[in-house]
Amino acid sequence: MKPQRDVYIAGVGETKFGKHRLEFDALGRIAALQALKSSNINRPNIIQSAYVGNGTNGLVTGQTVLKDLGMCGHMPIINVESACSAGGMAVHLAVRDVATGFTEVSLAVGCENHSLHMQSGTAMAPAMTDIETVHGAVMTGKYALRAQRYMYETGAKIEDLALITVKNRRHATKNPYAWFKGDISVEEVVNSRLVASPLTLQQCCGIADGAGAVVVCSQEMARKLGIEKPIKVAATVVRSGPYHNRPRDITGDDITEATSRQLYEETGIGPEDIDIIELHDAFTIAELLYYECLGLCGKGEGLQFLRDGNATLGGKCVVSPRGGMLSYGHPIGASGAAQIAACVKQMRNECPGYQVDPVPRVAMTHVTGGGLSGTEHAACTMHMLVRP
Amino acid sequence: MADRGNKKEPEITFFHPDLLEIPTDGSPAYLKGYRCRACGRLDFPKLSPCPSCWGEEFDVVPLSRTGKLYSATDIFVGQAGMKTPYSFGYVDLPENLRIFCQLEGEIGSFRCDDDVELTVGTIRTTSDSERITSYKFKKVGA
């Protein structure tokens, strides 16, 4: 959706990602309060609507997050669930409210705590209502199927896929919000425990807890709040995954291709104009495929794009500058909002030790969501952000 | 109070009569495709109404018993309650249908584009440790 009027990001917040003893609501409040304060909002009744993304933590999650900040009673609070897309989708809906004139300023939060609730040593799976889940499907395995086919068709080796983890962990080295970071060798990645062949542990995002938050507003409100570096939301697109239980190419990704094409068309910004991207690198293979799906390079050229250094500092487009999900871990309802928070900080030159140079002017974010049989993903949410 | 709240529905042990037919005369099992009488679309699993035209009448079509393994993986960290390792993959049938299924055979033995055939076996167990039977695929001749 291209906004009917200009929408700006006033402020953002994020928690450190990792295993937390704090519940989802406490994490959500930390990120929300950071986003609100960095938007110069100093009392509970300024925000006019709120959307809270969460995947697995239960009912009325948004009201649970915002009640203790005194924000319940002043505005509608709407809870958003679409598995891994939930946090991004919450931001999309907040942008919509401002774009259509329904509000002048809205809040989006994504938050999740998995580790307090998941049995350790098990993998995430779609709901038992899904025919693939009944037959043992897990998300790691569904991405492993893509990896096997990609390697079979292109001749790529597991050592090639491992380069993605090495790159993203290096990006995260000095990022205080990332969980796994710093030097790791291809050998360490490849020789870590096998999770779903060919994916080893260090090629899978950690099951983490965390939160991200974003305040969006109109141009007039950004002026009133005294926002020094507003970031413009050039467009935001949400799509649902087409159903077709037929043979298809899973080394592509129909929903990511359609969502990114729509985003490029609505903004007039092409892949060659983008400085940084945070994408759904839940597994190494995913980032590699998405270079191609997003049009950063041609079909089958993803590995060359990576090897040539095009996806890292000094390359054509820095992919996963915060370290991506492979460094942060992936609290499913939080990641989409946290990606946007990280991009806004980059565009404001607020990332000491991991700042992309020159300071990015155009950023794109991408989260898919939900393993649903007959679709590549149930949802895809993307944002294009521009520093005016 | 009556014990209504405590009464447990028995869990299924066969998945699923709409999808898998095991003839009693000893002839081989087959998967059941559903062809929409209104638009001709063939689907597996059964979808009613037809997602193309919302037709509600179907002819059951026995599907091919062999296909190509499009991709496969061995799972070492599985769903809660499932014993590892196990293998699953996508099988493409000549009817232009893709079947997600568990694979029967040695871990590490499956390759893309292997020829595979339908078999019937255990996919998981109920909470009472009873076996749940469903369709699976194995390498042709294995």
Side-chain angles (χ1 to χ4, degrees), chain A residues 43-124:
Chain A
R43 55 180 203 275
N45 60 353
I46 305 270
I47 294 288
Q48 294 168 324
S49 72
Y51 294 87
V52 179
N54 179 272
T56 62
N57 290 133
L59 306 178
V60 293
T61 45
Q63 292 88 337
T64 308
V65 170
L66 297 174
K67 141 179 99 70
D68 291 1
L69 295 178
M71 295 176 74
C72 285
H74 304 295
M75 58 174 174
I77 298 173
I78 297 177
N79 301 307
V80 182
E81 187 283 304
S82 256
C84 312
S85 234
M89 217 178 264
V91 178
H92 170 87
L93 291 166
V95 171
R96 262 199 209 188
D97 275 2
V98 175
T100 55
F102 183 70
T103 64
E104 292 300 315
V105 58
S106 292
L107 170 69
V109 180
C111 55
E112 194 89 35
N113 188 307
H114 289 302
S115 60
L116 290 175
H117 307 282
M118 254 185 94
Q119 185 185 331
S120 69
T122 63
M124 281 199 204

Side-chain angles (χ1 to χ4, degrees), chain A residues 119 121-123 131-138 144-145 148-149 152 194-197 245-250, chain B residues 41-45 70-74 76-79 86 88 90 96-98 100 102 112-113 124 134-135:
Chain A
Q119 185 185 331
T122 63
I131 188 169
E132 296 184 349
T133 312
V134 173
H135 286 89
V138 283
L145 293 175
Q148 294 283 31
R149 190 72 199 184
Y152 176 73
L194 200 52
V195 171
S197 62
N245 215 9
R246 316 271 159 203
R248 62 175 181 272
D249 177 12
I250 63 171
Chain B
R41 171 172 163 146
L42 179 67
D43 257 309
F44 179 94
Y70 175 72
S71 191
T73 178
D74 304 317
F76 295 88
V77 179
Q79 269 180 40
Y86 58 94
F88 61 63
Y90 290 121
N96 193 33
L97 288 170
R98 176 164 290 175
F100 178 93
Q102 271 186 44
C112 295
D113 288 344
R124 60 194 300 138
S134 184
Y135 51 90

Side-chain angles (χ1 to χ4, degrees), chain B residues 48-74:
Chain B
S48 183
C50 166
S52 282
C53 72
W54 284 5
E56 293 182 7
E57 290 183 16
F58 302 88
D59 292 315
V60 174
V61 179
L63 299 178
S64 299
R65 301 190 68 264
T66 56
K68 284 259 185 225
L69 185 60
Y70 175 72
S71 191
T73 178
D74 304 317

